[in-house]
Amino acid sequence: MSNVIIPPGYRTAIDARRTEQGIKLIKDFFQQNLSTELRLRRVTAPLFVLSGMGINDDLNGVERAVSFPVKALGDKRAEVVHSLAKWKRLTLAEYGVEPGHGIYTDMNAIRADEELDNLHSLYVDQWDWEAVITPSERNLDMLKSTVERIYQALLRTEYLTCETYPELHPFLPPRIHFIHSEDLLRMYPDRTPHEREDLIAKEYGAVFIIGIGGKLSNGKPHDGRAPDYDDWSTPTDGEHSGLNGDIIVWYPPLGRSVELSSMGIRVDRESLLRQLQLSNQEERESLYFHQQLLSGRLPLSIGGGIGQSRLCMVLLQKAHIGEIQASIWPEDMRKQCLNAGIRLI
């Protein structure tokens, strides 16, 4: 059977036509708010990049990129992006963006190894954003301040959505709670990372979990992170480390937590070298992106991705991301959803 969750007695609050209108409303309004909050300007992004340059996002380091030969380049291989975590930093340098300003773009990706369920699809669409910071801003206060500004944009978008569709009722709390992944482990030492996220999200409504990628006191990371974009190994307050994290909300329709954004302060030269060593990937030092960073040609930055379809799903209070976007789903999942009144596009 599929991994889909079927909420008991589920019926969508708004029909297919109004859902499509709502998707546009949310996307237009939120990206304008994000741009204003973080002083970002929109840029055009690639769907694919050349393989072997270290530009593509490696996610957890095990997912395979969709790739193909390019005839015009002598059959050199290109690969569809997983995200634009590293490409954005190259673009900041190319455009000469000043500290306090940044860029955002529509990122579209194919993740062929994704495990499909209510929240995960083969097709991923995000607002990928990146902003230049100064050396003095590479700290936890800067990270938290940026998270709070993004969360305020989320709250404004939820308000507009519920005003436009009175059938929907707001559920996000007025403030987001911060907790380090090590403190979360100490609170729930016998639970899995996902169970810990559910518990803390249900308690506070919205949380930012700091420190994703580095090993915790149990010898395991809270979740995987590639070693060459987020800084997950720099100490922040003595025993804890990590200048990155995830925005997670409690989602009543599914009775579980939902990650809306992964973000963080990016690696500098020292943290890149340290994280490549910790992950036994020192050979990546010779790749194009890594050479640009190690030679000091790239600015210090903070950035992340915010799921477009996932945000629309949550704010329109749908049970399945397939109610928001067109994708491919297992036949048993389609039948299960159809029988439950969940219309997959």
Side-chain angles (χ1 to χ4, degrees), residues 94-324:
E94 180 182 351
Y95 288 175
V97 177
E98 296 293 327
H101 298 268
I103 59 174
Y104 80 95
T105 191
D106 292 301
M107 190 286 299
N108 297 286
I110 300 172
R111 296 183 182 174
D113 289 342
E114 200 74 81
E115 294 186 13
L116 307 181
D117 56 26
N118 298 68
L119 302 175
H120 297 89
S121 170
L122 298 176
Y123 168 62
V124 178
D125 54 344
Q126 293 182 171
W127 290 286
D128 257 343
W129 64 274
E130 199 84 9
V132 179
I133 60 175
T134 64
S136 64
E137 291 174 321
R138 294 193 79 258
N139 56 57
L140 203 55
D141 287 341
M142 177 63 176
L143 178 64
K144 289 181 176 181
S145 171
T146 305
V147 170
E148 287 172 339
R149 288 155 71 187
I150 293 172
Y151 189 70
Q152 287 304 308
L154 291 174
L155 287 177
R156 287 194 291 272
T157 309
E158 182 191 45
Y159 176 80
L160 175 66
T161 305
C162 293
E163 283 288 293
T164 305
Y165 302 103
E167 304 94 325
L168 304 176
H169 302 284
F171 60 88
L172 294 176
R175 293 181 181 82
I176 189 166
H177 178 74
F178 292 90
I179 188 168
H180 195 281
S181 54
E182 178 64 38
D183 294 325
L184 190 57
L185 172 63
R186 291 174 181 173
M187 288 174 65
Y188 308 111
D190 300 324
R191 301 299 187 105
T192 67
H194 178 70
E195 290 170 341
R196 296 197 289 271
E197 289 178 3
D198 281 348
L199 289 165
I200 197 70
K202 187 173 184 179
E203 180 177 355
Y204 289 99
V207 295
F208 185 76
I209 301 177
I210 303 167
I212 309 290
K215 289 184 179 179
L216 304 178
S217 58
N218 63 355
K220 302 176 183 178
H222 180 81
D223 199 357
R225 281 293 187 277
D228 41 18
Y229 53 98
D230 282 355
D231 185 342
W232 42 257
S233 63
T234 294
T236 57
D237 62 355
E239 60 179 315
H240 294 348
S241 65
L243 291 172
N244 71 340
D246 292 341
I247 296 176
I248 294 172
V249 300
W250 178 252
Y251 189 48
L254 294 182
R256 59 157 293 173
S257 61
V258 173
E259 177 195 319
L260 294 180
S261 176
S262 172
M263 58 174 287
I265 290 173
R266 307 308 199 184
V267 290
D268 57 9
R269 187 180 191 279
E270 290 71 25
S271 53
L272 173 63
L273 291 173
R274 179 170 57 251
Q275 291 177 183
L276 289 174
Q277 183 179 34
L278 288 170
S279 58
N280 297 314
Q281 297 186 56
E282 291 98 328
E283 73 281 356
R284 298 186 67 82
E285 291 177 26
S286 62
L287 297 176
Y288 173 76
F289 170 83
H290 303 70
Q291 282 294 302
Q292 293 293 106
L293 177 55
L294 292 172
S295 61
R297 297 189 181 97
L298 302 183
L300 299 176
S301 67
I302 182 173
I306 302 166
Q308 294 188 15
S309 290
R310 193 174 288 188
L311 178 62
C312 291
M313 172 191 165
V314 166
L315 295 187
L316 295 173
Q317 299 177 23
K318 300 291 187 177
H320 197 291
I321 200 168
E323 296 178 89
I324 299 296

Side-chain angles (χ1 to χ4, degrees), residues 56-66 82 111-114 224:
N56 204 355
D57 181 357
D58 297 301
L59 301 176
N60 295 318
V62 296
E63 295 88 348
R64 300 170 298 170
V66 175
H82 277 146
R111 296 183 182 174
D113 289 342
E114 200 74 81

Side-chain angles (χ1 to χ4, degrees), residues 82-97:
H82 277 146
S83 84
L84 299 169
K86 290 178 280 188
W87 176 87
K88 292 176 297 182
R89 201 164 174 186
L90 292 167
T91 303
L92 289 176
E94 180 182 351
Y95 288 175
V97 177

